[in-house]
Amino acid sequence: MTRIDAKFADLNAKGKKAFVAYVMAGDPDYETSLEVVKGLPGAGVDIIELGLPFTDPMADGPTIQLAGQRALDGGMTLQKTLDLATEFRKQDDTTPIVLMGYYNPIYNRGVETFLADAKAAGIDGLIVVDLPPEEDEELCIPAQAAGLNFIRLATPTTDDRRLPKVLQNTSGFVYYVSVTGITGAAEAQAGEVGPEVARIKAKTDLPIIVGFGINTPDRAEAIASVADGAVVGSAIVGQIGAGKPVSEVLSFVKSLADGAHRA
C-alpha cells in the first residue's frame, strides 16, 4: 500500500473528501517553495502535487507556465525537485507527494535511475501529462513495479471507447480534468462534472479527484461533493506569483481545504 492508498483509506474511513494542492517546485525560489510545501499539510492538504518545471508544457495555462519559468530561471532542476521532496520527508513521512510534469526531463535522466531516485526522495506517484496509455511500457509499468502509483488524466473528451484504455494501468487515483482546455482557463461546474465522475466510477474502484477550474472554497466544496476530492493549482500558484508572504499563501490554501472538507 502506497502513501496515496493509505491516505484515501483513512479519508474514506472518516467519510471525508480529499483536498489536493498543486505547487510548482522552485517557484519563486527553492527556499520559499520548500517553506510553502512544508506548510501544506498543516493547512489541511491531504496530497501534495509537486510540479516539475519544464520549458514546453502543453496542459498548463499562463499562471503555471510562468511559475515554471520562474523556477527554471532560479536554477530549479529535476534533481533539486527531488532534493526538495527529500527535505520535506525529514519532517513528514505520511503526506503523499505526486510529482506532476512531462516526460522529457525523466527520459533525459534515464527511467531506471529516475524511478530509484524518486522512490528514495519519498515521491509516491507520478502524473506525466504527455505519455498516453499506448506508451505504458515506457514509464507507467516500470513505475508501478518500483512501487510508485501512476496517475492518469481523464477529460471531458475521454469517451466510453477510450476510457478502459486510460484506466488500464492507472493506480492511486484518477485525475478528472473538469474542463476542455488548459489549467486556469475556465471554471469547473459541479452539474457537468458529477455525471462524468459517475460514468468513470462505473468503470473503476479508484478514487476520482477533479482538477482544473477550481479557485474558491465554495467551488472546492461543490466539486468535492460530486467526486472523491478536489485539486487546486493555478489559484494557489497565482498567490505565490503575486509575491504574497508564505503565511498568506498557506492561509488561502487552508480556506480551499476547508471548503473541500465541508463536502
Side-chain angles (χ1 to χ4, degrees):
M1 181 180 277
T2 65
R3 288 187 188 92
I4 296 170
D5 299 330
K7 175 59 72 174
F8 279 111
D10 181 55
L11 288 167
N12 197 42
K14 293 174 179 173
K16 284 179 68 177
K17 301 300 179 77
F19 180 68
V20 184
Y22 171 98
V23 292
M24 180 67 72
D27 175 37
D29 55 68
Y30 180 91
E31 292 303 331
T32 307
S33 179
L34 178 59
E35 192 182 345
V36 170
V37 172
K38 282 183 171 181
L40 292 176
V45 173
D46 297 302
I47 297 172
I48 297 167
E49 264 183 36
L50 193 58
L52 177 60
F54 183 55
T55 50
D56 300 293
M58 60 190 228
D60 298 317
T63 301
I64 290 177
Q65 282 196 38
L66 287 169
Q69 201 56 56
R70 287 191 297 268
L72 292 168
D73 289 347
M76 202 61 181
T77 61
L78 171 53
Q79 182 57 53
K80 287 183 179 178
T81 302
L82 295 177
D83 291 346
L84 191 151
T86 301
E87 198 61 33
F88 173 83
R89 283 284 171 237
K90 290 178 182 177
Q91 72 162 46
D92 187 316
D93 195 41
T94 56
T95 303
I97 300 176
V98 175
L99 192 64
M100 184 171 187
Y102 298 85
Y103 185 48
N104 192 285
I106 296 168
Y107 175 81
N108 192 44
R109 193 182 190 91
V111 167
E112 198 173 324
T113 302
F114 164 75
L115 290 173
D117 293 346
K119 187 74 175 165
I123 300 295
D124 303 292
L126 304 174
I127 299 175
V128 183
V129 178
D130 53 349
L131 272 183
E134 286 74 15
E135 306 295 337
D136 274 358
E137 297 288 344
E138 192 79 23
L139 180 63
C140 172
I141 290 169
Q144 311 261 37
L148 294 165
N149 290 126
F150 199 88
I151 295 142
R152 191 88 66 192
L153 303 180
T155 75
T157 59
T158 307
D159 60 20
D160 288 338
R161 197 163 51 100
R162 180 65 174 166
L163 187 58
K165 189 76 174 172
V166 168
L167 296 173
Q168 188 172 286
N169 291 312
T170 299
S171 66
F173 61 91
V174 177
Y175 187 132
Y176 180 69
V177 176
S178 66
V179 297
T180 304
I182 53 175
T183 58
E187 292 192 338
Q189 303 297 331
E192 296 170 8
V193 168
E196 288 297 291
V197 169
R199 181 173 69 91
I200 298 167
K201 274 189 165 295
K203 305 288 185 184
T204 181
D205 293 330
L206 291 170
I208 315 295
I209 305 300
V210 177
F212 287 45
I214 303 167
N215 48 23
T216 66
D218 286 348
R219 199 161 291 277
E221 179 181 4
I223 294 300
S225 72
V226 297
D228 295 301
V231 185
V232 178
S234 292
I236 297 168
V237 171
Q239 297 268 314
I240 296 168
K244 298 282 182 69
V246 171
S247 59
E248 282 189 35
V249 173
L250 293 174
S251 177
F252 176 62
V253 172
K254 185 176 187 307
S255 73
L256 295 164
D258 289 347
H261 291 148
R262 283 196 302 267

